[in-house]
Amino acid sequence: MANTLGIIKPDGMRRKLAGRIIDKVERAGLIIRGTKVLWLDRERAEKFYAVHQGKPFYKSLVEFMTSGPIMVLVLGGHGAIERWRELMGHTDPAKAKYNTIRREFGTSIEKNVVHGSDSETTAKVEVAFFFREDEILPKE
Ligand code: UDP
Ligand code: MG
């Protein structure tokens, strides 16, 4: 029953895809337990993606993630971590399955519209990166 972190990246927000993405989230039965819109500065984006530091795409990724507002979401429900990853699709939109968000809306391996935590440990850290406890609905 672990929560996971979802992000609608700057490309998704710029292209007004938030509503269509949230529609898919709700249709998939995921529960929205928290959300906010914000604009990452370089320092915060670098910290969030610290695991990718040193990789060839890191600098460009940070540029991209600071290029405009993002929407962050706490998503819950049974198997939320895996289900949100499944709904997003492969990192590279060209390799993502049909009916996934990245396949439908992504335009490159970088500009792939959404982020999702990849494990229970990562999800805890990533949710806490953006949300205080009292900004998240209890699981009841
Ligand atoms: N990324 C990129 N080039 C790559 C791999 C990843 O620009 O070759 C970007 C892309 O936006 C991706 C993010 O870096 O979503 C984080 O990469 P990761 O491998 O964690 O993929 P994800 O978990 O997002 O599927
Ligand atoms: Mg990842």
Side-chain angles (χ1 to χ4, degrees), residues 8 19 26 57 59 75 99 113 117 126 131:
I8 303 177
E26 291 183 327
F57 60 85
K59 230 184 128 189
L75 303 175
N99 289 317
V113 182
S117 309
E126 291 187 348
F131 294 87

Side-chain angles (χ1 to χ4, degrees), residues 9 49 52 57 61 85 91 102 109-110 112:
K9 296 182 178 183
Y49 279 118
H52 295 301
F57 60 85
L61 175 62
R85 291 288 305 189
T91 309
R102 284 167 163 176
I109 192 164
E110 179 183 78
N112 57 10

